[in-house]
Amino acid sequence: MEPVIATLGLTKRYRGGQLAVDGLDLVVPRGSVFGFLGPNGSGKTTTIRMLMGLIEPTSGTARVLGEAMPGAGRRVLPRVGALIEGPALYGFLSGRDNLVRFDAADPTADPRTRAARVEGALDRVGLAGAAGKKARAYSLGMKQRLGLASALLRPRELLVLDEPTNGLDPQGMREIRSLVRQLASDGTTVFLSSHLLDEIEQVCTHAAVMAQGRLLTQGTVADLASSVRGRLAVTTPDTADAVRVLKEHGVIDLVVTDDRVTGELPAAGPPDLADVNAALVRADVRVRAFGTQRASLEDAFVALTGEGFDVAG
Ligand SMILES: Nc1ncnc2c1ncn2[C@@H]1O[C@H](COP(=O)(O)OP(=O)(O)OP(=O)(O)O)[C@@H](O)[C@H]1O
Ligand SMILES: [Mg+2]
C-alpha cells in the first residue's frame, strides 16, 4: 500500500540562506497517527508547507496521497484537511461565519448542507457555545479550535495539523487528543507536528524526530521507545551497599536519590537481572522494589541527540 506521505531528499533552503529542511526521507503509513516531533526551529512547519504545496522545495520530492506535490495540488488538496500555524481568520466575523466562509470557498461543498457541516465541525471542537462570538475576541486556544474546525468541515483522507494543541489549556489538549483518536478510528490518517514528547507518546502510533532540519529517526512509537533500554532501578534503604553490588555487576552511570539507586545496564554483555537481584540479597541489601523503568520517547530523544528536550513546552 502506498504511503500517504512520502518524501525523498526533501530540502528547503530559504532565500536568506537558512537550510531549514535537509534531505528529508519521510514515510507516513496510511491509517497512522503520525507525530512529527522536533524542537523549535527544527523544520516542521517548513516541511508541512512543502507537503501542502505552499512553498517550493529547493530540491527533492514530496508525494501526498500518491501524487507529486506541489504539481498535483488541485487534485490532492481537496482530500486533505490542514491546520498550519495561525489559521487565517476574519476577526470581524463570528466563529460560525468564518466556517461558513471556509465552506463556501470549497467549490465541491453543497451549499444546502453547509449549515449542518458548520454546526457539526463547531461541535466536534467544542466551540458550539462560543460560535456567535467575533473571532477577534477569541483566545489563542479558541482560534486554534476554530482552525481545526475548518479542517474538519468535510471528511478527509488525511489531516495535517501543525501544532494543533498550541495555546490550549490541559483540558483543551485532552479534548484535541481524543478528537485525533476518534478521527483516526474513522480511518483518517493524521499527521501532526508537536514539540511535546509526551503528547506524541499519548496519541501517536508512529513518529519522526527532527533536529536542525534533519530526520534523526522514524518508526512506530513503541519501537522508538524500546530502542533505548530503560534504567535499572532499585529501591532500598541500603543505597551504599546497593551501589557497590551493582557496580560489581557492570551497571554504569549509577545515581542515588533518597532510597533509590538507578543505573544503566551495559550494552555489551548485560548481566542477568535475576543474578543481580540475588547478589543484592546475598549482600544483605534490603530491596523494596527492583526492576527496569520503561524508556520514554524522551529517553530515546536524549539518546539520539545527547540533548534534553523541552518537555513542558
Ligand atoms: N520564511 C522564512 N525565511 C527564512 N527562514 C525561515 C523562514 N521560515 C522559517 N525559517 C527558518 O527555518 C528554520 C525552520 O523553521 P520552521 O518554522 O520550519 O521550524 P519549526 O520546527 O516549525 O519550529 P516551531 O516549533 O518553532 O514551530 C528556522 O531556523 C527558521 O528560522
Ligand atoms: Mg512550526
Side-chain angles (χ1 to χ4, degrees), residues 14 18 20 38-47 49 85 163 195:
Y14 283 110
Q18 173 78 40
N40 293 134
S42 55
K44 303 181 298 292
T45 300
T46 301
T47 300
R49 295 177 72 203
E85 257 179 19
E163 309 256 5
H195 58 282

Side-chain angles (χ1 to χ4, degrees), residues 16-286:
Q18 173 78 40
L19 185 58
V21 176
D22 185 6
L24 179 62
D25 298 337
L26 199 62
V27 179
V28 177
R30 188 168 285 274
S32 59
V33 178
F34 195 102
F36 195 40
L37 182 67
N40 293 134
S42 55
K44 303 181 298 292
T45 300
T46 301
T47 300
I48 288 174
R49 295 177 72 203
M50 287 193 279
L51 293 173
M52 296 293 96
L54 296 169
I55 53 172
E56 293 264 355
T58 307
S59 60
T61 59
R63 294 179 72 78
V64 177
L65 296 172
E67 302 212 59
M69 290 297 288
R74 290 168 71 95
R75 278 193 304 279
V76 171
L77 294 178
R79 299 158 65 195
V80 181
L83 169 66
I84 304 176
E85 257 179 19
L89 302 171
Y90 291 98
F92 61 91
L93 291 180
S94 69
R96 177 180 288 112
D97 287 343
N98 268 283
L99 289 188
V100 168
R101 276 196 68 120
F102 276 116
D103 196 73
D106 180 349
T108 64
D110 181 353
R112 287 167 302 179
T113 48
R114 180 156 298 143
R117 273 194 301 283
V118 166
E119 294 314 310
L122 287 166
D123 213 40
R124 284 197 107 166
V125 300
L127 266 187
K133 210 171 176 174
K134 291 215 186 332
R136 68 162 166 262
Y138 276 10
S139 68
L140 177 59
M142 288 161 87
K143 285 183 182 145
Q144 194 74 355
R145 285 167 193 254
L146 189 58
L148 195 56
S150 74
L152 296 176
L153 281 167
R154 324 266 324 259
R156 313 281 187 176
E157 286 167 67
L158 169 64
L159 274 181
V160 175
L161 309 176
D162 192 12
E163 309 256 5
T165 57
N166 198 15
L168 296 181
D169 52 27
Q171 170 62 18
M173 290 170 107
R174 269 195 298 279
E175 285 169 20
I176 298 304
R177 281 200 291 272
S178 96
L179 180 62
V180 165
R181 289 194 194 98
Q182 195 187 323
L183 290 162
S185 70
D186 296 345
T188 307
T189 304
V190 184
F191 181 85
L192 66 96
S193 79
S194 179
H195 58 282
L196 303 178
L197 279 157
D198 53 345
E199 173 167 292
I200 297 266
E201 205 157 26
Q202 285 178 52
V203 79
C204 295
T205 58
H206 294 69
V209 182
M210 295 283 285
Q212 295 171 7
R214 312 195 66 154
L215 182 70
L216 297 179
T217 185
Q218 66 184 319
T220 66
V221 168
D223 283 351
L224 293 177
S226 70
S227 67
V228 271
R229 278 160 306 113
R231 287 172 70 83
L232 176 64
V234 180
T235 309
T236 172
D238 311 314
T239 50
D241 287 334
V243 165
R244 180 176 47 78
V245 173
L246 293 176
K247 251 188 204 155
E248 285 166 11
H249 283 78
V251 180
I252 49 178
D253 187 25
L254 288 156
V255 176
V256 180
T257 42
D258 300 328
D259 62 344
R260 235 159 76 99
V261 182
T262 67
E264 199 171 314
L265 297 166
D272 187 332
L273 290 183
D275 294 342
V276 178
N277 198 6
L280 286 166
V281 172
R282 270 200 310 279
D284 288 332
V285 175
R286 292 164 293 167

